[in-house]
Amino acid sequence: MGDTAKTLPIWHEGETFLQQKVGAGVAERMAMVGQRVIRDFMPDQHRDFYAQLPFLVIGSADPDGDAWATVLEGRPGFLSSPSPTLLDIAARPNAGDPAAAGLIDGAPVGLLGIEMNTRRRNRMNGIAATTPTGFRVTVDQSFGNCPRYIQLRDATQARDPGQPFAGSVEELTALDPAARAAIEAADAFFVASYADRGDHRQVDVSHRGGKAGFVRVAGDGTLTIPDFDGNLFFATLGNILLNGKAGLLFIDFASGDLLQMTGDAALVLDSPEIAAFQGAERLWTFKARKIVRRRGALALRWTLRADGWSPSSLMTGDWGQAADRLRAEETATRWRPMTVTDIMEESATIRSFHLRPTDGAGLLPHLAGQHLPIRVTPAGADTPVVRTYTLSVAPSDGIYRISVKREGLVSRHLHDHVRVGDVIEARGPAGGFTIDARATRPAVLLAGGVGITPLLAMLRHVVYEGLRTQRIRPTILVHAARSKAERPFDREIADLVTAANGAVRLVRVLSDPGEAVPGVDYDAVGRIDMTLLTRILGFNDYDFYVCGPPALTQALYDGLRGLNIADDRIHAEAFGPSSLKRTGAETVAAAPARRPPSTKPVPVAFMNTLKEARWTPGSGTLLDLAEARGLDPAFGCREGTCGTCRTKLLKGAVTYVKEPSASVAADEVLLCCAVPAEAETVEDAPLQLAL
């Protein structure tokens, strides 16, 4: 390694910028990780690994500064390491390989040794020197790489790898149909990039994988690629951030065709498509300026194993799903038809209903813990009734599921009359009772009765995201029910605990055990209270999530506050008419400044229905006014918590007689707790609502 390289920091500014974007403290942690795992020599296991490979992916930069990725082949042993700082490559690029222009004496190169039948891969950056048989690379940086997103493939040789390539070399001016098809079918590709660090150029080459079709090809040939959770090195994307150049290599594993491209790349750090593409942390784009295709250029062929798909790849989304989700965003405030696709008996009193949209717009992604407003017309009723039920599934589950306890008009209708194939109307999910699966502080989920539903969604989300990112947030679920027969989701929760491999602890509480077996069917008798919690928790630094009947939720909140648990560490949602009364004014966010209610009558126009009304002080909320005028706006809680009555405010100003806990934008109004505000101007006085 040259003197300049020895004095450079391990991570360059592009890499550290992206590490900082991930979150507080990540760049500092990666500085320590880098010193431990980035070496200026190859460990013996890396040297042995290279020696057994039949091919090597290599990245270079040509004299014009264009990056290229290619493959060098040979029989196992064509790669050898005479010392920890040297790797000899007994192979040269084939005729027509555009990467060859950058493989000259003194040129920086990036190397990737990858074994697709074991998912092992190691990377190296170094300086090349030509030899009589090929190249010798002196190590600059050497490091291992995670095996995720690699599909298991077995390799065979279709011909002698030492036989020169005699096929045609096609130079394309743009992606033709065959090239587009190859890219759109790919579940993997390789990318070369580089960064100039003073007078030292550092070239890198890496693997990218996902579901087949994870690379989108636009009409103008622009590729869009999701970037998934990884090792936080950000070598490739950090390089792209600095110079905007990359070289892509797509291999047809069945035919040995190579499609090589060099061009311009750019990062996309803020786009609705990031959230819509399941598993994407960010996106990047690539537009080719030069394209070379060499059909049958490789002697190697690979076959995908029957069970070869990477679990990490399968936990990501696809562009079709992302497009559906973006279309669904437009339907968030409308009632949409949902077909009941399945009904499951979860306990003696709780039944789950699986819902899928029938309008072709896809599911609107929800946050774990949110609720779904639904509208049904109960048997014998003349008008629809709106209720909100928590979604008991994670966003990654790809379906809506509400789990309903039989205890009221609408729940009885759902239990007694709704069948598979029936249609239920629903609006977009809402609610602020959610969890961050990536937080590192342990989470304690306290569920009383049917209050398990949002906490089950949270648990599913924590486990799924933890498995996807290989970092499961430590979680304790305390699940209370009256009896074993009334306790839902036993098998589902047990499976989640098993999948979490020690990261999730379950404590089951029954108030009436009956014939249940202690230690087998339950872990404690009674109810969730502070006595139980002090027995099972060490009261370290936890985040608490509480959901159950109002009295239970309030008691647990008060008990936790009594132990000096900060208010912002207690996330709670009570079902029923009561809302949680929080204490500790220093920690509770101040309500936004509001105008006072109008002291004069205010004309109100409901623009969608072309009806007018006159609100007078003391006459109630805007929801009361709409109902008195014969309108039937959707609502759920009448407390400002569910957000179901959210309506566009077209003109005028409103204020709230009770501060809502549901989110509300500046151009929206929650009818159930809003009234006209005191007018500041003459134009301010009339009120217009999109209802």
Side-chain angles (χ1 to χ4, degrees):
M1 182 165 58
D3 291 338
T4 302
K6 289 181 179 178
T7 61
L8 289 170
I10 290 175
W11 309 116
H12 61 62
E13 56 268 35
E15 294 163 330
T16 56
F17 173 84
L18 292 171
Q19 290 164 0
Q20 290 166 349
K21 290 284 287 185
V22 172
V26 173
E28 292 76 10
R29 177 162 58 86
M30 291 306 296
M32 294 185 289
V33 169
Q35 293 196 9
R36 190 173 69 250
V37 304
I38 307 293
R39 308 174 181 90
D40 58 2
F41 65 93
M42 291 177 289
D44 287 345
Q45 61 176 340
H46 289 198
R47 299 169 69 195
D48 294 341
F49 175 67
Y50 285 119
Q52 70 189 32
L53 296 176
F55 76 102
L56 179 75
V57 183
I58 189 164
S60 67
D62 68 18
D64 294 329
D66 286 330
W68 294 95
T70 192
V71 174
L72 299 180
E73 295 179 288
R75 296 197 181 278
F78 87 105
L79 303 173
S80 60
S81 175
S83 78
T85 60
L86 297 174
L87 183 69
D88 287 339
I89 307 169
R92 295 184 181 279
N94 280 317
D97 189 337
L103 298 177
I104 57 176
D105 277 322
V109 294
L111 308 181
L112 169 65
I114 182 169
E115 194 172 57
M116 286 185 277
N117 62 321
T118 64
R119 293 197 175 106
R120 286 186 65 188
R121 59 173 171 162
N122 292 316
R123 282 160 65 182
M124 189 230 285
N125 308 319
I127 303 298
T130 58
T131 66
T133 58
F135 305 94
R136 168 168 284 184
V137 178
T138 303
V139 175
D140 181 349
Q141 292 183 337
S142 174
F143 50 98
N145 227 194
C146 72
R148 298 160 65 197
Y149 312 110
I150 299 174
Q151 281 48 272
L152 291 174
R153 286 184 160 90
D154 295 309
T156 58
Q157 288 187 333
R159 65 173 187 270
D160 182 350
Q163 178 182 342
F165 170 65
S168 62
V169 178
E170 303 173 65
E171 296 185 4
L172 307 179
T173 57
L175 293 175
D176 63 12
R180 286 174 173 271
I183 295 170
E184 291 172 340
D187 59 66
F189 68 91
F190 301 92
V191 52
S193 60
Y194 68 87
D196 288 327
R197 309 180 68 182
D199 60 357
H200 177 72
R201 174 167 289 180
Q202 187 171 291
V203 177
D204 182 81
V205 68
S206 184
H207 166 275
R208 287 293 189 272
K211 287 182 180 177
F214 77 111
V215 180
R216 183 178 65 191
V217 187
D220 67 352
T222 299
L223 310 187
T224 304
I225 303 109
D227 188 63
F228 305 128
D229 175 82
N231 55 21
L232 302 181
F233 287 9
F234 293 121
T236 298
L237 297 190
N239 293 345
I240 290 172
L241 187 66
L242 292 186
N243 66 21
K245 293 185 177 182
L248 273 56
L249 167 66
F250 287 86
I251 299 176
D252 186 318
F253 295 110
S255 68
D257 293 356
L258 294 183
L259 182 67
Q260 295 165 275
M261 300 181 284
T262 191
D264 302 312
L267 270 61
V268 180
L269 301 177
D270 184 16
S271 166
E273 289 190 320
I274 298 172
F277 197 110
Q278 186 166 301
E281 307 284 330
R282 57 201 65 80
L283 305 172
W284 58 285
T285 62
F286 174 85
K287 182 68 179 295
R289 283 182 281 101
K290 301 175 186 177
I291 306 169
V292 174
R293 180 168 55 209
R294 294 179 289 146
R295 299 182 188 272
L298 292 184
L300 286 168
R301 304 289 187 270
W302 288 266
T303 303
L304 179 67
R305 291 184 183 175
D307 60 348
W309 283 99
S310 160
S312 294
S313 293
L314 294 178
M315 296 178 84
T316 61
D318 57 62
W319 287 108
Q321 179 194 60
D324 285 345
R325 288 180 169 184
L326 290 172
R327 284 196 299 272
E329 290 280 357
E330 303 171 2
T331 70
T333 59
R334 302 201 303 263
W335 289 107
R336 302 176 63 195
M338 298 274 174
T339 298
V340 179
T341 60
D342 201 2
I343 300 174
M344 302 292 294
E345 299 290 340
E346 308 291 2
S347 74
T349 57
I350 296 176
R351 181 175 290 180
S352 287
F353 300 84
H354 295 232
L355 307 173
R356 287 194 183 277
T358 61
D359 57 9
L363 280 179
L364 184 68
H366 69 285
L367 301 177
Q370 288 189 311
H371 50 253
L372 185 74
I374 69 166
R375 184 167 70 178
V376 298
T377 303
D382 297 326
T383 58
V385 178
V386 175
R387 292 290 186 273
T388 58
Y389 293 104
T390 303
L391 288 161
S392 57
V393 287
S396 56
D397 286 314
I399 195 170
Y400 287 163
R401 179 181 71 178
I402 56 173
S403 301
V404 180
K405 182 179 181 182
R406 181 186 171 91
E407 59 181 355
L409 173 67
V410 175
S411 65
R412 287 197 302 271
H413 171 77
L414 293 172
H415 276 247
D416 296 342
H417 299 285
V418 172
R419 300 291 181 265
V420 172
D422 289 351
V423 173
I424 291 174
E425 291 183 299
R427 293 216 305 187
F433 183 54
T434 60
I435 193 169
D436 180 1
R438 295 208 172 184
T440 56
R441 184 181 295 119
V444 179
L445 314 181
L446 305 177
V450 76
I452 183 63
T453 54
L455 302 185
L456 175 60
M458 293 180 183
L459 183 63
R460 292 187 65 85
H461 182 53
V462 165
V463 172
Y464 180 90
E465 284 297 298
L467 292 173
R468 187 179 70 81
T469 62
Q470 299 185 337
R471 295 181 297 273
I472 299 179
R473 182 179 184 180
T475 304
I476 301 168
L477 170 63
V478 185
H479 184 193
R482 194 183 72 84
S483 66
K484 181 184 175 184
E486 295 181 29
R487 186 177 64 205
F489 308 115
D490 275 359
R491 182 72 266 157
E492 185 173 333
I493 292 173
D495 289 344
L496 290 168
V497 172
T498 300
N501 196 27
V504 173
R505 177 187 173 194
L506 171 65
V507 179
R508 301 159 300 170
V509 184
L510 294 180
S511 58
D512 181 11
E515 301 295 322
V517 180
V520 176
D521 299 321
Y522 65 96
D523 307 297
V525 176
R527 56 196 292 267
I528 305 177
D529 55 21
M530 296 310 299
T531 301
L532 174 66
L533 295 185
T534 53
R535 191 166 76 242
I536 64 176
L537 298 177
F539 278 95
N540 294 319
D541 192 15
Y542 296 118
D543 280 334
F544 291 88
Y545 296 82
V546 188
C547 187
L552 172 68
T553 301
Q554 189 69 56
L556 289 174
Y557 173 83
D558 292 340
L560 292 171
R561 291 289 290 129
L563 291 178
N564 292 320
I565 305 298
D567 177 82
D568 62 359
R569 298 284 174 83
I570 308 171
H571 311 270
E573 183 163 88
F575 53 80
S578 300
S579 58
L580 185 69
K581 296 178 177 62
R582 290 184 173 269
T583 58
E586 73 281 0
T587 59
V588 179
R594 305 280 189 195
R595 297 190 202 177
S598 176
T599 57
K600 301 176 181 178
V602 176
V604 179
F606 301 106
M607 302 304 291
N608 289 359
T609 53
L610 301 179
K611 290 191 176 184
E612 295 180 330
R614 190 173 183 80
W615 179 89
T616 57
S619 64
T621 65
L622 291 171
L623 176 59
D624 296 328
L625 182 69
E627 291 176 326
R629 191 66 180 84
L631 300 178
D632 187 27
F635 68 89
C637 63
R638 296 192 92 110
E639 294 282 328
T641 59
C642 73
T644 305
C645 63
R646 186 180 286 107
T647 302
K648 282 290 184 183
L649 177 64
L650 303 177
K651 184 180 179 182
V654 301
T655 192
Y656 290 93
V657 293
K658 177 185 177 183
E659 189 61 36
S661 57
S663 61
V664 55
D667 62 345
E668 294 176 334
V669 55
L670 295 182
L671 298 174
C672 70
C673 51
V675 297
E678 189 72 48
E680 293 181 346
T681 65
V682 174
E683 292 77 14
D684 219 8
L687 201 62
Q688 293 182 0
L689 302 171
L691 183 67

